[in-house]
């Protein structure tokens, strides 16, 4: 299993992003099933749609939202059930430079047995037992 981060999804959906080609290569592997199901935390979904709307336009953001929600390879993960655990995780990882959304990714990854995170955020490398993709 792999958890998707905003930086990865924004790079994939933005051809002008410096990481777009690397994100496209990882996406091919993801669609091929290399990591099994990809977990998409609700908070990441919110960030991605918001960033795409701001950098491009609302129709582009709606198209990305619909693509993510229809993707067979992606499981949408509501964050309510993980909220209090995320608060605890955030207390431990905030000093490492991770955001609250990042803390949710770590919490969901640990609870769901997903050791991989698709990200371009190097701060995840500071978290034990997390493998960054691409590495």
């Amino acid at each position: 299993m792999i958890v998707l981060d905003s930086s990865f999804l924004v790079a994939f959906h933005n051809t002008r992003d410096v990481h777009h080609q690397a994100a496209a290569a990882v996406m091919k592997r993801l669609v091929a099933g290399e990591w099994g199901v990809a977990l998409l935390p609700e908070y990441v979904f919110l960030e991605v749609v918001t960033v795409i709307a701001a950098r491009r336009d609302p129709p582009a953001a709606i198209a990305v939202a619909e693509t993510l929600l229809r993707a067979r390879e992606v499981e949408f993960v509501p964050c309510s059930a993980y909220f209090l655990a995320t608060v605890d995780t955030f207390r431990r990882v905030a000093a490492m430079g991770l955001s609250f959304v990042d803390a949710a990714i770590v919490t969901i990854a640990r609870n769901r047995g997903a050791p991989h995170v698709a990200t371009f955020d190097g701060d995840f490398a500071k978290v034990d037992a997390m493998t960054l993709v691409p590495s």
Side-chain angles (χ1 to χ4, degrees):
M1 250 189 255
I2 189 167
V3 184
L4 307 178
D5 181 36
S6 307
S7 64
F8 165 72
L9 289 170
V10 168
F12 176 74
H13 290 285
N14 180 3
T15 58
R16 295 176 298 196
D17 190 287
V18 66
H19 298 294
H20 176 73
Q21 288 188 357
V26 170
M27 187 61 78
K28 277 185 175 181
R29 295 167 58 196
L30 189 150
V31 170
E34 184 170 332
W35 299 282
V37 68
L39 303 176
L40 174 61
E42 176 182 7
Y43 299 156
V44 170
F45 178 87
L46 297 171
E47 277 188 335
V48 169
V49 173
T50 300
V51 168
I52 298 294
R55 292 186 183 166
R56 294 194 45 210
D57 54 45
I62 292 166
V64 168
E66 289 173 352
T67 297
L68 289 170
L69 292 174
R70 283 193 311 256
R72 294 175 300 188
E73 304 82 8
V74 175
E75 178 186 335
F76 181 80
V77 181
C79 288
S80 298
Y82 298 99
F83 180 75
L84 293 177
T86 297
V87 172
D88 287 338
T89 301
F90 184 65
R91 286 186 187 108
R92 292 190 306 278
V93 300
M96 296 179 197
L98 276 75
S99 70
F100 190 84
V101 174
D102 296 340
I105 290 169
V106 171
T107 301
I108 290 166
R110 289 183 174 158
N111 278 275
R112 296 289 302 273
H116 300 92
V117 61
T119 188
F120 294 102
D121 182 347
D123 289 329
F124 280 104
K126 300 172 188 172
V127 178
D128 290 338
M130 297 286 303
T131 302
L132 279 60
V133 176
S135 53

